């Protein structure tokens, strides 16, 4: 009887294989769109006996992540979060620790913005280095993804450690390599969340030891900066995450508060979480250059807008954003069509919830199909077409872009660094487009807009030529 009851209240099931269920399920954009077309906004999967509810569409995602946030905000207690994040570092944190760390991160971004070196000024500072590297290439093909990674992690370093690395610094190169490799091992370890014992198989089949080594090396680099901060605490004049973390520890000690989530180890893991979380903007920027090289007409329109509003002698700033509606439309369209994070990290239901006439049971995992908003043809007609014009109305004003923000997820667990991501996207892209034409490598076919899926939706490697126009 209970079985029947459950069967009638769960969302439709996608058929799977005997015993293992939907073990082959790959959350790619086409798969999620097809699933939604077949079954609607809510779909039940079964992966090795674990119930997984796929949530699609703007309205249903909003209902689940915002209105039912009290019961959907948690991540499940799974391998990667416990093994490497040690249930800390914001991304891997649970319960009260997550709440406290989230508040700390949001407040620290605010403090940084009220200090002498805001997020914008740190991004702008690194954009200058980025443009110098582009100049050095002198129009020859460059591995733009590599350049984006180096410069993005330098921005995070500046926010974490209070100073950026000098161009060419070996520690920065090492940090980029470590974070990069660690990021792409994560999807290969998904099975360990179901069967943790597999990590003991001989031969490091799931790269558990390799990942441990990478994470330890990243934490060692963060530790060096923590040690430096401890030695020079009184001399600090810039605000950064480590400095603020140490201040928070002091405040908590004085107030005799529970230090859970704010011990010295948590400081390192917080650094790891911010380095790791930022990979999404690396993907979004990498997609940006790929779409721009494929659409020279769009670059030309952006250049006209920039030339007419900012001119050629000074670089774009965040304050210019409202006067560059077309450039903004291009960035929204890139975020939409590339859907760098097609599915948010899995959440878990901590109570039964009622949605759209179904009962979603406590303990079920929730797969958030963010890309189904970006590719919803009722919101964005012909979603497969790259068309920044869809965000510009007849009077030339920006319009209808709000739903693209689902790319950062919704509700209290949405991206903790959305503001930083938006500043990075805006300053990198407008600064490059202002100064350079973006061309394909001579004699090579245009790089493909087909990507691959490795947790994130990532473009395949490509080179571009950035030729000075000013
Ligand atoms: C275009 C760029 C970005 C996109 C599309 C993006 C998207 C996302 C998404 C979808 C989530 C998951 C939310 C959820 O679980 O519901 C997330 C979480 C997170 N992101 Fe971003 N992100 C971007 C840039 C960044 C950057 C630049 C950083 C840091 C430097 C960052 C740090 C984080 C962190 C720490 C979390 C975990 C938040 C938490 O668990 O409370 N993200 N982001």
């Amino acid at each position: 009887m209970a079985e029947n009851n459950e069967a009638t209240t769960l969302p439709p099931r996608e058929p799977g294989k005997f015993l293992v269920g939907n073990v082959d399920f790959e959350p790619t954009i086409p798969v999620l769109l097809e699933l939604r077309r077949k079954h609607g906004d809510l779909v039940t999967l079964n992966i090795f006996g674990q119930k997984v509810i796929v949530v699609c569409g703007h309205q249903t995602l909003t209902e689940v992540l915002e209105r039912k946030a009290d019961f959907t905000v948690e991540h499940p207690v799974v391998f990667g979060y416990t093994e490497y994040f040690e249930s800390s570092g914001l991304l891997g944190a649970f319960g009260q620790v997550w709440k406290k760390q989230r508040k700390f991160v949001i407040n620290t971004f605010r403090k940084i913005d009220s200090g002498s070196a805001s997020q914008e000024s740190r991004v702008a500072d690194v954009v200058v280095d980025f443009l110098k590297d582009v100049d050095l290439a002198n129009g020859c093909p460059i591995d733009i993804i590599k350049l984006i990674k180096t410069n993005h992690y330098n921005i995070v370093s500046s926010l974490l450690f209070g100073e950026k690395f000098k161009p060419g610094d070996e520690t920065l190169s090492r940090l980029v390599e470590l974070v990069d490799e660690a990021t792409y091992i994560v999807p290969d370890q998904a099975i360990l969340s179901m069967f943790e014992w597999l990590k003991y198989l001989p031969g490091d089949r799931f790269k558990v030891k390799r990942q441990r080594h990478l994470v330890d090396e990243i934490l060692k680099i963060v530790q060096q900066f923590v040690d430096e901060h401890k030695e020079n605490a009184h001399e600090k004049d810039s605000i950064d995450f480590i400095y603020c973390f140490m201040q928070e520890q002091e405040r908590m000690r004085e107030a005799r508060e529970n230090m859970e989530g704010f011990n010295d180890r948590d400081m390192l893991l917080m650094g790891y979480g911010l380095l790791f979380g930022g990979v999404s903007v690396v993907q979004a920027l990498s997609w940006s250059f790929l779409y721009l090289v494929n659409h020279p007409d769009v670059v030309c329109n952006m250049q006209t807008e920039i030339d007419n509003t900012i001119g050629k002698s000074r670089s774009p700033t965040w304050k210019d954003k409202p006067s560059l509606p077309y450039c903004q439309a291009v960035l929204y369209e890139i975020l939409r069509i590339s859907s760098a994070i097609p599915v948010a990290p899995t959440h878990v239901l901590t109570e039964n919830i009622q949605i759209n006439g179904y009962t979603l049971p406590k303990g079920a995992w929730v797969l958030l199909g963010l890309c189904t908003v970006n590719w919803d043809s009722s919101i964005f007609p012909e979603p497969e077409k790259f068309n920044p014009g869809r965000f510009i109305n007849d009077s030339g004003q920006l319009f209808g872009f709000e739903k693209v923000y689902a790319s950062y997820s919704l509700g209290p667990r949405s991206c903790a660094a959305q503001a930083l991501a938006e500043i990075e996207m805006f300053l990198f892209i407008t600064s490059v487009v202002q100064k350079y034409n973006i061309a394909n490598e001579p004699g090579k076919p245009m790089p493909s807009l087909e990507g691959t899926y490795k947790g994130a939706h990532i473009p395949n490697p490509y080179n571009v030529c950035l030729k000075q126009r000013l």
Side-chain angles (χ1 to χ4, degrees):
M1 186 66 188
E3 273 276 87
N4 272 346
N5 205 9
E6 191 187 58
T8 52
T9 56
L10 272 174
R13 274 178 195 276
E14 172 68 358
K17 291 183 184 155
F18 179 61
L19 288 179
V20 295
N22 307 91
V23 66
D24 298 334
F25 179 76
E26 260 200 280
T28 64
I29 299 174
V31 166
L32 285 157
L33 294 178
E34 177 56 14
L35 208 62
R36 186 183 186 204
R37 193 196 58 74
K38 257 168 79 182
H39 300 295
D41 277 2
L42 293 166
V43 186
T44 307
L45 304 179
N46 176 329
I47 302 182
F48 289 121
Q50 171 65 50
K51 262 189 199 81
V52 179
I53 310 291
V54 183
V55 184
C56 304
H58 195 263
Q59 212 180 337
T60 308
L61 279 163
T62 308
E63 187 71 23
V64 168
L65 289 169
E66 292 184 351
R67 290 194 201 103
K68 309 280 185 193
D70 286 350
F71 316 114
T72 61
V73 79
E74 291 286 346
H75 286 167
V77 181
V78 292
F79 182 75
Y81 298 139
T82 52
E83 183 83 10
Y84 307 117
F85 274 103
E86 302 168 31
S87 307
S88 183
L90 186 60
L91 197 55
F94 308 102
Q96 282 306 313
V97 170
W98 171 75
K99 268 196 188 148
K100 287 197 289 181
Q101 292 189 341
R102 173 92 189 184
K103 194 169 161 201
F104 166 77
V105 167
I106 302 295
N107 283 343
T108 303
F109 275 126
R110 277 198 201 118
K111 268 191 203 159
I112 286 174
D113 277 342
S114 63
S116 55
S118 62
Q119 295 182 70
E120 182 193 352
S121 72
R122 293 176 206 228
V123 174
D125 198 14
V126 171
V127 168
V128 171
D129 296 341
F130 178 81
L131 296 180
K132 278 186 193 150
D133 278 339
V134 170
D135 273 342
L136 278 178
N138 200 17
C140 295
I142 40 177
D143 178 349
I144 192 78
I145 300 185
K146 189 170 171 206
L147 209 58
I148 290 167
K149 282 178 186 162
T150 309
N151 286 283
H152 164 70
Y153 290 116
N154 212 5
I155 292 169
V156 181
S157 300
S158 155
L159 291 162
L160 275 178
F161 313 138
E163 54 195 303
K164 64 170 187 163
F165 292 96
K166 293 207 168 57
D169 187 291
E170 273 179 27
T171 309
L172 176 61
S173 313
R174 174 122 183 86
L175 196 60
V176 175
E177 276 170 24
L178 292 165
V179 178
D180 201 37
E181 187 180 343
T183 307
Y184 295 115
I185 289 181
V186 171
D188 297 338
Q189 296 188 338
I191 186 84
L192 299 177
S193 294
M194 306 276 176
F195 305 111
E196 195 172 332
W197 55 267
L198 287 172
K199 73 178 181 181
Y200 299 112
L201 285 183
D204 206 22
R205 163 82 178 73
F206 294 98
K207 301 192 185 159
V208 174
K209 286 189 194 132
R210 179 71 191 156
Q211 185 76 333
R212 180 75 267 158
H213 168 75
L214 297 170
V215 175
D216 286 347
E217 291 298 301
I218 295 168
L219 298 185
K220 265 189 220 161
I221 295 178
V222 183
Q223 180 72 59
Q224 280 171 21
F225 285 92
V226 171
D227 292 345
E228 238 171 62
H229 273 62
K230 283 189 176 163
E231 273 171 33
N232 307 319
H234 52 289
E235 289 168 16
K236 277 269 144 216
D237 55 358
S238 85
I239 299 173
D240 58 60
F241 269 85
I242 294 181
Y243 172 78
C244 290
F245 199 97
M246 285 164 50
Q247 273 195 329
E248 181 63 6
Q249 286 183 311
E250 211 169 295
R251 188 199 63 74
M252 289 171 101
R253 267 186 224 111
E254 275 170 16
R256 295 179 184 277
E257 279 180 25
N258 176 356
M259 298 288 289
E260 200 189 6
F262 284 85
N263 292 306
D264 284 0
R265 183 80 182 162
D266 298 299
M267 181 157 27
L268 305 185
L269 294 163
M270 184 80 78
Y272 173 51
L274 286 170
L275 286 160
F276 187 86
V279 71
S280 327
V281 83
V282 169
Q283 307 310 351
L285 283 168
S286 305
W287 281 112
S288 304
F289 284 98
L290 189 53
Y291 273 96
L292 294 179
V293 74
N294 272 276
H295 294 90
D297 52 322
V298 169
V299 176
C300 198
N301 292 343
M302 291 173 84
Q303 285 169 338
T304 308
E305 185 176 68
I306 294 172
D307 291 352
N308 290 343
T309 44
I310 299 177
K312 298 180 179 178
S313 55
R314 70 165 179 93
S315 300
T317 69
W318 187 239
K319 275 207 187 99
D320 294 314
K321 195 175 162 228
S323 49
L324 297 173
Y326 185 79
C327 291
Q328 284 192 69
V330 173
L331 296 179
Y332 288 126
E333 182 63 349
I334 290 167
L335 197 61
R336 184 197 71 74
I337 200 166
S338 63
S339 288
I341 308 293
V343 170
T346 309
H347 289 216
V348 67
L349 292 176
T350 47
E351 286 300 335
N352 287 353
I353 59 167
Q354 312 285 330
I355 302 249
N356 300 0
Y358 299 114
T359 302
L360 313 189
K362 177 177 175 180
W365 291 2
V366 184
L367 217 79
L368 303 159
L370 308 178
C371 64
T372 62
V373 181
N374 287 342
W375 281 69
D376 184 333
S377 56
S378 69
I379 307 174
F380 305 112
E382 300 187 293
E384 69 292 347
K385 288 208 174 130
F386 180 68
N387 172 19
R390 71 173 79 242
F391 294 119
I392 299 287
N393 68 12
D394 292 342
S395 0
Q397 282 159 339
L398 203 60
F399 127 107
F401 58 88
E402 296 81 4
K403 292 197 170 125
V404 169
Y405 281 134
S407 310
Y408 294 97
S409 193
L410 301 165
R413 195 135 202 177
S414 64
C415 181
Q418 179 173 341
L420 173 65
E422 287 195 68
I423 295 171
E424 280 193 50
M425 294 278 292
F426 181 79
L427 290 189
F428 271 97
I429 300 302
T430 54
S431 304
V432 167
V433 166
Q434 181 192 41
K435 294 193 170 59
Y436 307 91
N437 287 318
I438 305 174
N440 187 25
E441 242 183 302
K444 293 270 171 77
M446 194 55 95
S448 160
L449 291 168
E450 293 285 308
T452 45
Y453 293 88
K454 201 108 171 95
H457 182 212
I458 54 178
N460 295 316
Y462 65 96
N463 291 336
V464 284
C465 301
L466 297 176
K467 299 189 177 177
Q468 223 154 23
R469 63 183 283 266
L470 297 186

